[in-house]
Amino acid sequence: MSLSPDFASTLRAIFGDALALDVATRATYAYDNSRRETLPEAVVLPTEHAQVEALVRACRAQRMPLTARGRGTNTTGASVPVAGGVVVSFERMNRILRVDPDNRLAVVEPGVLNADLQAAAAPHGFFWPPDPTSAPFCTIGGNLACNAGGPRAVKYGATRDNVLALRAVAGSGESFRAGAPTTKGATGYDLTRLLLGSEGTLALITEATLKLVPKPSALRTLRAAYADVGAAARAVARIMAQPVTPCALEFLDDEALKLARAHGGDAVPDAGALLMIEVDGEPGTLAAAVEAVACAARGDGLLELRAAADAAEAATLWAARRALSPALRTLSPNKINEDVVVPVSRVPELVATTKRLAAKYALPIVCFGHAGNGNLHVNLLPRDAAERARAEPCLAEVFDAVIALDGTLSGEHGIGLAKRAFMPRALDAVALGLMGGIKAAFDPDGILNPGKLLP
Ligand SMILES: Cc1cc2nc3c(=O)[nH]c(=O)nc-3n(C[C@H](O)[C@H](O)[C@H](O)COP(=O)(O)OP(=O)(O)OC[C@H]3O[C@@H](n4cnc5c(N)ncnc54)[C@H](O)[C@@H]3O)c2cc1C
């Protein structure tokens, strides 16, 4: 769809110089971390809520597709403007409006980077729990729209558990507020949670009131090496079955460990599988909490259980874990990085299934991730055309297996373009129909991020 001169003038009147129509700038906003790309007709960079409202109204009047963008780090194509139209990048709405320790909250604009919010909250003794590995370069708006999470979600929850209120503009062009800056609320439907994870298909978020959590003053990092993936997966279920919740419980299979060792050296043990476990708390009680978790980690197949000697050793271990995702991309530029989730007690079956499918399809599959939530990154790594062809049916089998284990397609990355076709496997027709009705209520003309999320 191309822009009419009248519509371009309307956008110019709203945005002035913060409107880009040149190809070079549009190309910068055409792609995301999924490596898909479609050139938009225009890019706008709002700094105020009123501009966003005027933009949605103008786009609706023209039936013009409108795709929100944070920093384009999502993996599913969620911010690629597949139908063309306008990209609205929130990078200039990046003010932290308030950090309010008394009420344990922060009010931010959507373009604030996750790491910048953490830096602003830290001097007050607080943090915002969602901790995606991309925190230094992804926005709060993207976190909200994808329901992002990270290692800490096992104890503190993902984005959806840590938002109190939102201000937004629906696809209808109407502004509204959802939720309240209170820690309890029972006033009608929960529109806040509905917008979280909606991938910019219902409304554009212009302000968020986020729940802050006091930062524990002490932390211990353990590494537990196991003879094989089954032993490590069974330990995950034992750890989650006892009362002390670790603040990270990460799993690395044998293949992930080899890559992590290449990056982290001896800080990463040579074993069949590894759990990285963190326990936080206050100094007076931490030792007992660590011992409870360590006790559960011990069992059949444990080779070594070791506490990091100091912060530097723990940092090396985490750096090796964080290096995995980019390292896989160098092994296979076409890697398929899924983030399936199953009930924790079924992690052993999920891990066994991925090993079976890797053998069946003769395809490298590397698994690691947030095992304490049952959320594993299952990476299919096709290296040539034949492997790419086998990856497709293999992926479908991974999803079917996950659903048969009472799990679901995505724990944190969302659906976007990549998993849209699989939605009918995960949700029944009635649930999908209700979602379609919700989409129509918020966005009657279907202008917001068309082609995403719903099949
Ligand atoms: C190296 C790397 C590591 C990663 N690690 C993790 C991880 O550990 N955990 C995790 O969950 N994710 C991870 N991700 C994925 C990604 O960083 C997250 O999904 C992040 O939340 C996306 O933020 P963004 O600012 O880049 O948003 P974008 O990618 O630009 O957009 C994501 C979605 O949000 C919508 N959106 C953006 N702003 C708004 C708004 N204001 N209103 C409405 N909709 C909006 C977009 O339309 C799109 O649908 C990782 C990515 C990379 C590259």
Side-chain angles (χ1 to χ4, degrees):
M1 185 181 286
S2 61
L3 292 194
S4 67
D6 277 0
F7 186 61
S9 306
T10 305
L11 292 183
R12 182 71 67 202
I14 301 169
F15 291 100
D17 288 346
L19 162 71
L21 298 173
D22 62 293
V23 175
T25 307
R26 289 189 282 136
T28 323
Y29 294 86
Y31 65 95
D32 63 21
N33 190 43
S34 70
R35 301 199 165 185
R36 297 161 199 249
E37 104 175 62
T38 308
L39 201 63
E41 269 72 51
V43 176
V44 296
L45 301 133
T47 47
E48 302 293 340
H49 173 93
Q51 288 177 309
V52 179
E53 186 184 90
L55 170 69
V56 180
R57 290 183 176 199
C59 286
R60 188 177 178 202
Q62 298 286 320
R63 306 285 191 271
M64 180 67 65
L66 177 56
T67 302
R69 182 182 177 91
R71 291 296 177 107
T73 67
N74 80 86
T75 58
T76 66
S79 55
V80 177
V82 280
V86 179
V87 165
V88 50
S89 171
F90 285 96
E91 67 201 67
R92 294 187 185 170
M93 287 186 77
N94 62 353
R95 286 164 291 202
I96 296 175
L97 302 173
R98 190 153 59 99
V99 175
D100 178 354
D102 291 2
N103 290 302
R104 296 189 169 190
L105 61 80
V107 184
V108 301
E109 291 183 334
V112 171
L113 298 182
N114 181 306
D116 288 347
L117 170 63
Q118 308 297 0
H124 301 275
F126 284 85
F127 69 104
W128 189 51
D131 58 339
T133 311
S134 49
F137 45 86
C138 68
T139 66
I140 300 294
N143 296 169
L144 300 170
C146 292
N147 190 25
R152 282 198 296 242
V154 61
K155 180 167 181 180
Y156 295 104
T159 298
R160 217 172 239 152
D161 307 303
N162 289 288
V163 180
L164 299 174
L166 296 172
R167 187 180 192 200
V169 182
S172 61
E174 294 159 306
S175 295
F176 65 102
R177 288 183 184 272
T182 57
T183 50
K184 292 182 83 177
T187 312
Y189 299 135
D190 192 343
L191 298 183
T192 309
R193 283 177 78 94
L194 191 55
L195 293 196
L196 301 171
S198 67
E199 301 182 10
T201 62
L202 300 179
L204 302 183
I205 298 164
T206 57
E207 187 185 294
T209 304
L210 308 174
K211 194 196 279 185
L212 296 182
V213 174
K215 203 170 176 59
S217 59
L219 180 75
R220 289 289 290 282
T221 305
L222 306 173
R223 63 177 217 196
Y226 295 87
D228 54 59
V229 288
R234 288 190 294 279
V236 170
R238 284 198 306 275
I239 291 168
M240 294 310 290
Q242 54 80 50
V244 177
T245 309
C247 63
L249 178 47
E250 297 285 300
F251 167 90
L252 281 73
D253 77 359
D254 46 344
E255 299 299 331
L257 262 182
K258 280 182 209 149
L259 284 171
R261 268 178 75 75
H263 188 277
D266 287 343
V268 183
D270 188 6
L274 181 78
L275 295 184
M276 289 171 56
I277 309 165
E278 282 197 336
V279 182
D280 64 4
E282 297 311 310
T285 54
L286 188 65
V290 170
E291 185 42 37
V293 172
C295 184
R298 291 187 192 103
D300 195 25
L302 178 72
L303 301 177
E304 182 207 38
L305 178 62
R306 195 181 120 88
D310 50 29
E313 189 180 324
T316 309
L317 203 56
W318 278 106
R321 159 69 181 85
R322 278 193 288 271
L324 281 175
S325 210
L328 290 173
R329 183 79 91 185
T330 50
L331 282 184
S332 166
N334 298 104
K335 77 166 177 168
I336 301 173
N337 170 13
E338 293 308 335
D339 71 314
V340 295
V341 55
V342 296
V344 169
S345 64
R346 312 209 70 175
V347 168
E349 290 164 86
L350 173 61
V351 171
T353 301
T354 60
K355 293 288 173 200
R356 181 176 60 74
L357 292 176
K360 176 177 170 183
Y361 288 96
L363 193 64
I365 300 184
V366 176
C367 280
F368 62 90
H370 320 302
N373 289 108
N375 180 201
L376 288 192
H377 296 295
V378 175
N379 290 273
L380 279 56
L381 303 174
R383 292 158 298 186
D384 55 32
E387 288 188 345
R388 273 197 295 281
R390 293 203 293 280
E392 240 174 77
C394 180
L395 181 62
E397 268 204 64
V398 169
F399 286 142
D400 284 344
V402 163
I403 290 160
L405 292 170
D406 290 334
T408 195
L409 302 177
S410 172
E412 56 183 26
H413 288 169
I415 300 301
L417 284 171
K419 279 164 269 185
R420 206 162 78 100
F422 295 100
M423 287 286 271
R425 297 181 191 222
L427 298 171
D428 62 49
V430 175
L432 279 174
L434 288 167
M435 286 191 185
I438 289 167
K439 166 77 176 165
F442 275 84
D443 181 19
D445 295 306
I447 59 167
L448 289 187
N449 212 357
K452 310 293 170 61
L453 200 151
L454 292 175

